[in-house]
Amino acid sequence: MLKKPMRLEHKLDLSILVVFLSVYALFFIGNPGVFSRFDIYYSFMSTIPFIAILALSVTLVVVLGMMDLSFPSVLAFSAWVFGAVFTATGNMPLAVIACLAVGTACGFINSILVVHIGVPSLVATIGSMFFWRGAVNMVAQGRGISLVGAMDRTLFTVFVGRIGGVIPAQFIWMVLAGLFFGTLLKRHRFGTHLLFVGDNEQSAAMMGINVKLVKTIAFMQVGAAAAFVGILSTLEVTYFWPSQGQGYLMSALAAVFVGGTSVFGGMGTMLGTFLGALLIGSLEAGIISSGLSGFWIQFIYGLLIMISVSTYATMMRKRG
Amino acid sequence: MSENTDYEYLLEMRGVHKSFGHVNVLQGIDFHVGKAEIVALVGDNGAGKSTLIKTITGVHRPNKGEIYFKGQRITIHSVAQSRALGIETVYQERALADQQSLWRNMFAGREITNFLGLIDVKQQKRETERLLRESMGFTSKAITVDSQVMFLSGGEKQGVAIGRALYFDADLIILDEPTMGLSLSETKKVLEFTRSIKEHGKSAIFISHNFYHIYPAADRFVILDRGKIAGDVRKSDITQDDLVQKMENLARTGVFE
Ligand SMILES: Nc1ncnc2c1ncn2[C@@H]1O[C@H](COP(=O)(O)OP(=O)(O)OP(=O)(O)O)[C@@H](O)[C@H]1O
Ligand SMILES: [Mg+2]
């Protein structure tokens, strides 16, 4: 009897899991003292959610076979809106709503360029990446905004408080985002439509899927997610600064591709992205605590990405 | 909704034009499909057959002209709308997504969902399984509802596209080159199916280049030539040999006679 062949996506999920566990095994061997204590996980739980939520959200655009490079700039611009509105009004819910609205609007502008004007997404979002970074530099005049005044607000606790004094709230947000995006992609009508459009746009249109709407929503939700992470990362350090988010571009994209989602579109895995983000986010600390110097970090990043994407490419080629 | 049965034609097009840029693909099409009638749409490559049916299914919008369905003037804005009217289509391109599973392809664009939009995966799989085994007669154990379309043979892909159209009980079924690339036994199944459409009181538009497939299946032949209707004959008024002869004349002289 034929054994039921394993689906490619399950193989991808399995291999990222294997990579993840092996790297963590290496961390343990490298420095058992650090990796068997809670402290390092506490630090991971407070920093990794930022790139993880961004990566999960961008995965939806990648599933369409498209790209968004503007999210770090959108993050910074909407975080400035958050800081400015809060400083001006002292009204935190209003600042949150304004921030999310601006982020979503930035995503909508991307979608106009890509969907209606027909600019390739990579090119369009290089433009908007510079545009929003430039905008935030202009409005902020190079100055940061202190948000110390937000610390006694309930919403502060909801976003970045410490549950039971130990679990950073953003970690909960990350887990919720993982469940949300995982369900959205594989179990929701919108996710199926994304997969269809990313796989074969003409077929999708002939099957009555509103291709333009699907693409528009995909870009808008990245804007919203960037704004949301803008709030989290600003509140975590109670400070807005104009170059905020710049470090997230490559880490978030690396998480998506290390996770096994294909740049060609039509397939994607949120579990992969989630594990990819955990991996990318803990690599730096892992390398340093293993006793290697900081000069190794990018080298090992690069190695990990090259190995994982080569593995996936081989799997894709051999499938069937 | 009460069914209005008081209409002459199930579908009627009047003076429909469609152009892509400067290319006038359809130039004033008058065309109709009767109740329980199988209409064969024939014509050379590039005559505009697929474009014509895509203006009916909402993929393309006509630049000019009117379309009536069940006697009502309609403007079809979207594929979803034409489906809601009761028009199902098997496109020449098959309209499948290669990397997706059969159960996703079968319900593409009209998933079975709850009020939150979450897909009832179990039911979609169950229905797909039933279609595979019963309607499409897939026997291969290697094909399951979880199989990706890319692993299917050409004939199996068409089986999926046809099975999908059948599943959603429609009044007008459009088949664009349904027998292309099929084996003899698979072709026979498609032709039998086409006849069963009529028996159920439904109508069909059947596009094919193969007169041996079309002639037995159709009630009427509509000949499309470079974007215009060149002929419209009932099967009772023409033999298969005459039809083939006239089509050859059309190709040579530009006149269907
Ligand atoms: N989306 C489009 N954009 C531009 N031109 C198109 C488009 N679709 C079709 N055409 C052109 O319209 C003409 C008719 O195409 P159509 O597909 O309707 O022909 P057909 O009769 O179905 O041919 P075949 O028998 O080869 O399937 C062709 O010249 C084709 O190139
Ligand atoms: Mg055609």
Side-chain angles (χ1 to χ4, degrees), chain B residues 62-86:
Chain B
N63 302 104
K64 220 164 91 182
E66 292 154 25
I67 301 178
Y68 296 82
F69 194 71
K70 297 185 179 173
Q72 298 277 327
R73 168 117 193 241
I74 50 165
T75 359
I76 302 174
H77 301 288
S78 67
V79 174
Q81 190 196 349
S82 81
R83 281 170 162 180
L85 287 170

Side-chain angles (χ1 to χ4, degrees), chain A residues 4 7 183 186-189 192-193 195-196 199-200 203 205-209 265-267 319-320, chain B residues 79 83 91 95-100 104-105 108-109 111 113 116-119 121 146 150-151 164:
Chain A
K4 203 172 144 188
R7 292 221 25 210
T183 310
K186 292 296 162 66
R187 287 291 174 266
H188 196 271
R189 178 172 36 207
T192 269
H193 291 183
L195 290 164
F196 243 82
D199 197 324
N200 189 328
S203 290
M206 284 188 251
M207 283 299 107
I209 293 170
M267 67 81 61
R319 73 175 147 191
Chain B
V79 174
R83 281 170 162 180
Y91 293 97
L96 300 170
D98 266 351
Q99 296 179 73
Q100 312 309 321
R104 279 190 202 274
N105 269 285
E111 293 74 16
T113 62
L116 284 173
L118 291 171
I119 300 171
V121 176
D146 287 307
M150 66 170 87
F151 301 127
R164 179 170 62 184

Side-chain angles (χ1 to χ4, degrees), chain B:
Chain B
M1 212 179 75
S2 68
E3 263 305 273
N4 172 24
T5 49
D6 183 30
Y7 47 82
E8 194 182 358
Y9 301 128
L10 179 64
L11 174 93
E12 190 183 2
M13 302 171 90
R14 289 189 203 154
V16 167
H17 287 256
K18 176 71 197 171
S19 54
F20 297 105
H22 296 296
V23 190
N24 299 319
V25 179
L26 300 179
Q27 303 167 39
I29 299 294
D30 296 316
F31 174 76
H32 67 268
V33 180
K35 285 178 255 185
E37 188 186 32
I38 311 291
V39 177
L41 188 58
V42 291
D44 219 340
N45 292 115
K49 304 182 293 297
S50 297
T51 307
L52 191 158
I53 62 137
K54 283 177 182 169
T55 61
I56 302 172
T57 63
V59 174
H60 297 318
R61 272 210 235 166
N63 302 104
K64 220 164 91 182
E66 292 154 25
I67 301 178
Y68 296 82
F69 194 71
K70 297 185 179 173
Q72 298 277 327
R73 168 117 193 241
I74 50 165
T75 359
I76 302 174
H77 301 288
S78 67
V79 174
Q81 190 196 349
S82 81
R83 281 170 162 180
L85 287 170
I87 303 171
E88 278 299 325
T89 313
V90 178
Y91 293 97
Q92 194 170 7
E93 301 89 342
R94 302 301 158 231
L96 300 170
D98 266 351
Q99 296 179 73
Q100 312 309 321
S101 59
L102 286 182
W103 68 267
R104 279 190 202 274
N105 269 285
M106 196 60 77
F107 290 91
R110 51 183 145 187
E111 293 74 16
I112 306 174
T113 62
N114 67 10
F115 69 103
L116 284 173
L118 291 171
I119 300 171
D120 188 340
V121 176
K122 261 207 193 118
Q123 195 184 345
Q124 285 200 187
K125 286 190 178 184
R126 203 166 46 229
E127 294 294 304
T128 307
E129 174 73 30
R130 198 171 58 76
L131 265 155
L132 277 184
R133 307 294 164 211
E134 291 172 16
S135 309
M136 294 179 245
F138 277 30
T139 45
S140 163
K141 282 250 171 24
I143 299 172
T144 70
V145 295
D146 287 307
S147 301
Q148 284 166 279
V149 164
M150 66 170 87
F151 301 127
L152 269 53
S153 74
E156 288 166 341
K157 283 185 191 174
Q158 297 187 39
V160 174
I162 293 171
R164 179 170 62 184
L166 300 193
Y167 175 79
F168 301 92
D169 195 33
D171 294 319
L172 175 63
I173 296 175
I174 300 173
L175 301 152
D176 195 350
E177 303 270 10
T179 56
M180 190 174 58
L182 293 191
S183 70
L184 275 176
S185 64
E186 282 170 327
T187 302
K188 216 174 122 209
K189 258 189 257 162
V190 173
L191 296 178
E192 270 165 18
F193 158 67
T194 314
R195 273 189 287 272
S196 80
I197 295 176
K198 192 178 162 66
E199 282 158 21
H200 287 96
K202 317 246 158 136
S203 310
I205 302 172
F206 188 135
I207 299 177
S208 171
H209 288 287
N210 189 323
F211 289 100
Y212 301 101
H213 294 166
I214 280 191
Y215 192 85
D219 298 318
R220 190 157 58 86
F221 309 95
V222 174
I223 293 90
L224 194 62
D225 183 42
R226 285 161 288 180
K228 291 184 180 135
I229 303 288
D232 189 335
V233 270
R234 283 173 198 291
K235 179 152 74 178
S236 47
D237 296 337
I238 195 166
T239 64
Q240 181 168 324
D241 290 340
D242 278 348
L243 181 65
V244 174
Q245 185 59 50
K246 283 188 172 177
M247 286 304 292
E248 279 170 5
N249 286 348
L250 176 70
R252 214 176 39 246
T253 64
V255 193
F256 181 74
E257 58 180 23

Side-chain angles (χ1 to χ4, degrees), chain A residues 245-277:
Chain A
Q246 258 169 357
Y248 298 150
L249 178 62
M250 286 305 156
S251 340
L253 291 181
V256 175
F257 295 121
V258 165
T261 293
S262 160
V263 74
F264 298 114
M267 67 81 61
T269 147
M270 290 296 173
L271 178 67
T273 297
F274 194 85
L275 291 174

